[in-house]
Amino acid sequence: MAYSTTNRRHETYFLHARDIELRNHHSQRIYFFAKSEKPGAIDAVPDGYEIVENPRTGLPVLRKVKAHADAAG
């Protein structure tokens, strides 16, 4: 079962991951949300990431969790 989230407009999105090859022949994993469950759907939010919603469009996106200044010292 793919991980899903619902935005403020009550639209459901499913989390997907895909490995892509960059121009310098390195590979990178990208994460994206889609309205339907497709191949590449993943079951959970990756460690170190959190879901935020674009304030204008309502589209959910993943972003890396920022370390708090309190934790460093």
Side-chain angles (χ1 to χ4, degrees), residues 5-6 9 15-16 22 24 26 29 32-33 36 58-59:
T5 186
T6 304
R9 297 178 181 175
L15 181 60
H16 295 75
L22 304 174
N24 60 3
H26 289 93
R29 176 163 281 193
F32 61 95
F33 285 91
S36 61
L59 182 68

Side-chain angles (χ1 to χ4, degrees), residues 32-56:
F32 61 95
F33 285 91
K35 285 191 173 185
S36 61
E37 192 174 343
K38 301 175 184 177
I42 58 176
D43 297 335
V45 175
D47 290 338
Y49 287 87
E50 65 182 351
I51 299 172
V52 295
E53 193 173 304
N54 183 312
R56 283 182 40 194

